[in-house]
């Protein structure tokens, strides 16, 4: 079965600046795929090439097994919510969506019906006859989401769909994406870790134009052999060594950030050990060394992976 | 991929062109031109400026004609005096700018065989075309490249459909505007002078509409080309004026320099549609057809250059 999206050795240069450098990955059909990266990592450039807006300097992008430069062959099967794209002013929302539907091969009546259906799905049927320019930013994003799902495409790219939205509107968009997805393949880019972790089942982390990480979300977040313990202040070396010497611990990693130590404890269970007894040993060691844990998280988080692969240069997380 | 390694778009310039998509894009944009206000404003400007020019010219010529024909002369005598006036004919011949015999034959055709007052109006209004087209057609794609609005279309249709669809809508709008202007001018002359038969006058106006349609076509194509190179409407407007009006001025200056040096310079004006405009009103059919062919040729050239740029540029 062909992939929903296949990116092979893709590079894009703007003058001497390499926005993308030999990027390769595949996205399986039916998945909700997250493209994560800090600002300027190359997410929009990558999706812009995958959508045919930009030409790659080298490499290859295929949607549903079809070269993206051959848009006609993908008519109606693929769509995108572009980042920061404005609708035409002076044309009513319903007329714009109807035109998009007709360009995707539908008759005028069918395109009109589809447009109204999608507007109802995003809760904006009341703005159908409104000039698109007079919509608020949040409403415009929802209309853009409606246009992306117009005509039942198989593959949908959502380029930073919640960027610039307040928390309430961002939440609405996330709920809509979840409810509208169905069996479609949805590719979503964001610099919001929580958003990607909540929505997506696979993720690629990109930074400085290179793929740094590519995995299923479950393999990242579900790990019985790992606990993350946050501590107030710096962890004394002696306590760290004692934890490391415990029989149930195979490795300890520490990371001091913002007056807080993040301790990644990798366990190595024997036959008689359980996660509970192992954790008890670790916590007793910490407390006897005068160290008070602030938070314990089971398994790894996307944030941890992200910080690992982007050298801790994450500045774009938001709570929206 | 090209030999240099750069990824290119496959096949020819017109690959993916679909008449249905062209129609959808052109009709939507034509409606947009009227609704947005920008198109209506351009239309209004063309009308007002065109009518002002014609009104001033006709009034002044009428004044001269009445002076020559006498206070109590009929309107028909006044117009007859104008069309037979050596001063007016000399001005027309200077404007037509060609070899003596050819110019005399053409001025005779325009001033005697055809309704003279309408001929004069047509010659004057031809000057308006590059300005009018530049004002109305500069923003075919530039604004939407800047606002990324084109991205909603790019996953649904091939680039040539967008480029040619926008060109078609701009061309139809402008051709319609000039047709309306000429009809108003012709009706004005018809009711004001009341000496030409409606059939003759409107027949000549119809020829004028065809000529203006063909003459505006390459300038719309030039604007389409310039517009797709820009991503800001103001820059597109400035560059469109520079390309259509500025280039003509440059050719005029070079021509003047060559002329002073005694070199042949008549061919220079033919490098732009401007140099062919009067030939569409020539007394000889061959010359007329050549002028129309030149307009089509310029249009094809500018569209070719525009399409080549639009297909490969980042949007």
């Amino acid at each position: 079965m062909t992939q929903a999206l296949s990116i092979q050795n893709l590079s894009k240069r703007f003058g001497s600046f390499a926005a993308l450098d030999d990027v390769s990955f595949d996205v399986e059909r039916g998945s909700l795929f997250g493209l994560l990266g800090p600002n300027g990592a190359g997410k929009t450039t990558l999706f812009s090439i995958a959508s045919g807006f930009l030409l790659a300097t080298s490499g290859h992008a295929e949607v549903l097994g079809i070269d993206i430069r051959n848009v006609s062959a993908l008519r109606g099967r693929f769509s995108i919510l572009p980042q920061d794209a404005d609708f035409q002013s002076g044309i009513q929302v319903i007329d714009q969506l109807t035109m998009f539907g007709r360009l995707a091969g539908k008759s005028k009546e069918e395109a009109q019906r589809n447009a109204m259906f999608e507007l109802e799905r995003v809760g904006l049927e009341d703005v159908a006859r409104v000039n698109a320019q007079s919509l608020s930013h949040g409403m415009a994003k929802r209309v853009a989401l409606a246009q992306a799902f117009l005509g039942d495409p198989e593959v949908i790219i959502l380029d930073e769909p919640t960027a610039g939205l307040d928390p309430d509107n961002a939440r609405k968009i996330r709920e809509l994406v979840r409810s509208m997805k169905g069996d479609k393949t949805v590719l979503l880019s964001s610099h919001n870790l929580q958003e990607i972790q909540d929505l997506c089942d696979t993720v690629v982390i990109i930074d400085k134009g290179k793929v740094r990480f590519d995995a299923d979300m479950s393999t990242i977040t579900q790990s019985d052999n790992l606990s993350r313990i946050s501590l107030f202040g710096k962890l004394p070396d002696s306590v760290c060594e004692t934890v490391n010497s415990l029989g149930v611990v195979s490795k300890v990693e520490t990371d001091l950030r913002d007056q807080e130590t993040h301790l990644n404890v990798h366990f190595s269970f024997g036959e008689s050990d359980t996660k509970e007894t192992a954790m008890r040993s670790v916590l007793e060691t910490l407390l006897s060394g005068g160290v008070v844990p602030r938070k314990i998280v089971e398994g790894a988080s996307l944030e941890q992976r992200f910080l690992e692969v982007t050298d801790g240069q994450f500045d774009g997380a938001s709570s929206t | 991929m090209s030999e240099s390694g750069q990824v290119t778009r496959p096949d020819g310039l017109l690959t993916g062109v679909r008449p249905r998509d062209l129609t959808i894009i052109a009709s939507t944009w034509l409606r947009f031109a009227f609704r947005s206000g920008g198109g209506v404003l351009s239309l209004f400007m063309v009308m007002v400026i065109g009518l002002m020019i014609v009104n001033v010219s006709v009034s002044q010529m009428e004044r001269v004609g009445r002076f020559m024909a006498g206070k109590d002369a009929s309107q028909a005598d006044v117009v007859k005096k104008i069309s037979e006036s050596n001063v007016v004919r000399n001005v027309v011949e200077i404007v037509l700018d060609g070899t003596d015999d050819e110019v005399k034959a053409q001025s005779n055709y325009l001033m005697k065989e055809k309704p003279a007052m309408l001929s004069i109006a047509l010659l004057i209004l031809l000057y308006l075309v590059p300005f009018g087209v530049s004002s109305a057609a500069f923003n075919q794609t530039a604004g939407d490249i800047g606002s990324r609005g084109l991205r909603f279309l790019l996953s649904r249709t091939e680039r040539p459909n967008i480029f040619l669809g926008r060109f078609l809508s701009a061309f139809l709008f402008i051709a319609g505007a000039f047709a309306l202007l000429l009809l108003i001018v012709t009706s004005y002359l018809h009711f004001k002078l009341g000496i030409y038969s409606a059939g003759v006058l409107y027949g000549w106006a119809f020829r004028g509409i065809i000529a203006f349609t063909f003459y505006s076509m390459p300038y719309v194509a030039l604007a389409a080309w310039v517009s797709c190179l820009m991503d800001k409407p103001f820059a597109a407007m400035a560059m469109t004026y520079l390309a259509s009006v500025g280039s003509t001025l440059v050719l005029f200056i070079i021509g003047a320099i060559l002329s002073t040096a005694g070199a042949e310079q008549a061919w220079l004006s033919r490098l732009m549609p401007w140099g062919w405009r009067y030939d569409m009103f020539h007394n000889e059919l061959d010359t007329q057809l050549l002028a129309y062919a030149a307009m089509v040729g310029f249009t094809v050239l500018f569209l070719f250059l525009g399409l080549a740029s639009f297909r490969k540029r980042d949007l």
Side-chain angles (χ1 to χ4, degrees):
Chain A
M1 194 173 175
T2 54
Q3 302 285 348
L5 176 69
S6 179
I7 300 288
Q8 299 300 325
N9 308 110
L10 209 63
S11 295
K12 176 69 178 176
R13 301 189 75 84
F14 296 105
S16 60
F17 173 70
L20 293 175
D21 185 8
D22 199 26
V23 170
S24 297
F25 62 85
D26 291 325
V27 178
E28 282 183 22
R29 287 200 193 195
S31 61
L32 211 166
F33 167 88
L35 181 63
L36 184 64
N39 293 327
K43 302 186 295 295
T44 294
T45 303
L46 179 55
F47 275 173
S48 295
I49 292 170
S51 306
F53 306 156
L54 309 181
L55 274 177
T57 307
S58 63
H60 197 63
E62 282 184 358
V63 174
L64 298 166
I66 297 165
D67 190 324
I68 187 59
R69 292 170 297 166
N70 189 5
V71 175
S72 294
L74 283 165
R75 176 185 301 264
R77 300 178 68 194
F78 159 73
S79 73
I80 179 167
L81 185 165
Q83 191 189 5
D84 299 333
D86 295 335
F87 286 106
Q88 297 296 332
S89 59
I91 306 182
Q92 294 177 351
V93 168
I94 187 75
D95 289 345
Q96 301 208 32
L97 297 189
T98 301
M99 179 183 67
F100 298 152
R102 291 179 71 197
L103 287 175
K106 310 284 183 198
S107 69
K108 190 175 180 183
E109 293 71 26
E110 194 181 359
Q112 238 162 8
R113 265 199 312 277
N114 286 346
M116 210 59 215
F117 173 72
E118 294 302 342
L119 282 176
E120 282 168 10
R121 284 218 290 176
V122 298
L124 289 177
E125 61 272 30
D126 292 344
V127 304
R129 295 284 163 205
V130 168
N131 179 349
Q133 209 179 27
S134 57
L135 297 174
S136 69
H137 186 55
M139 286 167 114
K141 278 279 184 188
R142 279 153 68 194
V143 171
L145 193 67
Q147 72 78 34
F149 280 84
L150 202 61
D152 210 21
E154 295 167 53
V155 177
I156 300 165
I157 290 179
L158 307 176
D159 191 6
E160 305 239 14
T162 58
L165 294 180
D166 61 61
D168 187 44
N169 271 307
R171 181 184 52 78
K172 278 182 191 160
I173 293 282
R174 280 194 292 271
E175 284 170 3
L176 284 168
V177 171
R178 231 182 250 117
S179 67
M180 293 165 85
K181 181 190 172 292
D183 59 356
K184 300 171 181 35
T185 309
V186 174
L187 297 87
L188 179 137
S189 73
S190 181
H191 59 255
N192 185 329
L193 295 160
Q194 199 58 49
E195 183 168 282
I196 295 281
Q197 187 161 343
D198 287 352
L199 284 173
C200 301
D201 42 38
T202 57
V203 65
V204 160
I205 297 177
I206 185 172
D207 185 36
K208 298 187 180 80
K210 281 182 178 291
V211 170
R212 307 289 179 176
F213 187 77
D214 179 356
D216 288 346
M217 196 66 76
S218 56
T219 62
I220 300 169
T221 55
Q222 292 172 11
S223 174
D224 282 344
N225 296 340
L226 177 69
S227 286
R228 297 188 309 125
I229 305 171
S230 302
L231 312 166
F232 292 110
K234 188 176 181 304
L235 176 70
D237 290 344
S238 58
V239 179
C240 185
E241 281 166 20
T242 311
V243 172
N244 216 352
S245 65
L246 292 170
V248 290
V249 173
S250 63
K251 190 171 73 171
V252 173
E253 298 160 337
T254 59
D255 177 22
L256 180 65
R257 275 187 285 137
D258 301 329
Q259 308 297 316
E260 202 174 328
T261 301
H262 300 275
L263 195 66
N264 295 328
V265 182
H266 297 263
F267 294 103
S268 172
F269 302 123
E271 279 184 15
S272 59
D273 299 318
T274 64
K275 184 77 180 276
E276 189 185 344
T277 56
M279 266 307 282
R280 183 174 291 139
S281 304
V282 170
L283 290 173
E284 282 170 355
T285 308
L286 289 171
L287 289 168
S288 63
V291 176
V292 180
R294 192 178 72 80
K295 194 169 89 179
I296 301 168
V297 177
E298 289 302 303
S301 74
L302 186 57
E303 180 182 1
Q304 186 188 2
R305 284 291 184 214
F306 190 93
L307 291 168
E308 282 170 12
V309 299
T310 60
D311 301 326
Q313 292 177 355
F314 177 47
D315 60 355
S318 81
S319 59
T320 52
Chain B
M1 231 183 282
S2 68
E3 286 176 12
S4 63
Q6 172 74 35
V7 176
T8 55
R9 295 196 184 281
D11 306 326
L13 277 183
L14 297 177
T15 301
V17 167
R18 289 167 60 104
R20 183 175 180 272
D21 288 10
L22 279 178
T23 311
I24 292 168
I25 291 169
S27 61
T28 306
W29 265 80
L30 203 52
R31 280 195 295 157
F32 167 62
F34 285 102
R35 284 190 193 175
S36 66
V40 177
L41 187 67
S42 307
L43 184 66
F44 181 73
M45 277 174 57
V46 168
M47 292 293 159
V48 169
I49 295 170
L51 290 172
M52 273 173 55
I53 292 169
V54 170
N55 184 42
V56 169
S57 315
V58 169
S59 301
Q60 292 305 316
M61 269 188 286
E62 262 195 298
R63 191 173 291 175
V64 173
R66 192 159 292 282
F67 176 76
M68 290 188 296
K71 226 178 195 179
D72 301 324
S74 67
Q75 190 70 300
D77 286 339
V78 170
V79 174
K80 192 164 180 283
K81 282 285 178 194
I82 294 169
S83 47
E84 287 174 352
S85 157
N86 282 335
V87 175
V88 176
R89 284 178 68 94
N90 283 345
V91 171
V92 169
E93 285 169 14
I94 288 168
V95 165
L96 292 174
D97 189 26
T99 59
D100 285 352
D101 292 343
E102 201 179 350
V103 162
K104 277 193 196 317
Q106 191 176 359
S107 73
N108 195 50
Y109 171 72
L110 292 171
M111 303 299 287
K112 291 217 166 141
E113 291 180 37
K114 299 293 177 189
M117 297 300 277
L118 183 55
S119 295
I120 290 166
L122 290 173
L123 294 185
I124 292 169
L125 287 174
L126 279 174
Y127 281 82
L128 197 65
V129 171
F131 297 95
V133 171
S134 298
S135 305
F138 70 88
N139 197 17
Q140 291 176 54
T141 48
D144 288 335
I145 292 171
S147 74
R148 297 181 171 182
L150 283 186
R151 292 185 168 193
F152 289 117
L153 302 177
L154 288 168
S155 63
R156 296 181 165 98
T157 189
E158 298 281 359
R159 292 181 178 212
N161 293 319
I162 300 172
F163 181 82
L164 294 174
R166 296 276 175 102
F167 161 76
L168 265 179
S169 67
F171 169 61
L172 290 173
F173 180 81
I174 286 160
F178 279 121
L180 187 61
L181 174 64
L182 293 191
L183 284 176
I184 292 172
V185 167
T186 306
S187 300
Y188 169 78
L189 293 175
H190 179 58
F191 292 110
K192 184 170 174 24
L193 304 178
I195 55 160
Y196 300 118
S197 78
V200 170
L201 196 63
Y202 284 99
W204 187 225
F206 181 69
R207 277 278 309 279
I209 288 170
I210 292 173
F212 273 69
T213 301
F214 272 81
Y215 184 41
S216 59
M217 196 162 59
Y219 283 106
V220 181
L222 180 61
W225 175 30
V226 174
S227 189
C228 83
L229 297 173
M230 306 283 142
D231 55 13
K232 289 183 178 62
F234 185 78
M237 185 175 71
M239 290 307 292
T240 304
Y241 275 120
L242 210 59
S244 59
V245 183
S247 62
T248 305
L249 284 174
V250 169
L251 290 176
F252 180 79
I253 292 165
I254 295 171
I257 294 167
L258 287 177
S259 180
T260 308
E264 175 59 43
Q265 50 83 32
W267 58 273
L268 259 178
S269 65
R270 303 281 181 171
L271 294 177
M272 287 295 282
W274 179 262
W276 298 82
R277 67 196 184 285
Y278 296 133
D279 287 356
M280 292 185 297
F281 295 106
H282 203 274
N283 49 309
E284 286 177 14
L285 185 63
D286 290 354
T287 309
Q288 281 178 38
L289 291 177
L290 189 63
Y292 284 113
M295 296 305 169
V296 174
F298 278 116
T299 305
V300 171
L301 173 69
F302 295 145
L303 286 180
F304 174 85
L305 293 169
L307 262 176
S309 307
F310 192 67
R311 283 181 88 251
K312 71 180 180 194
R313 74 158 292 170
D314 286 344
L315 294 170

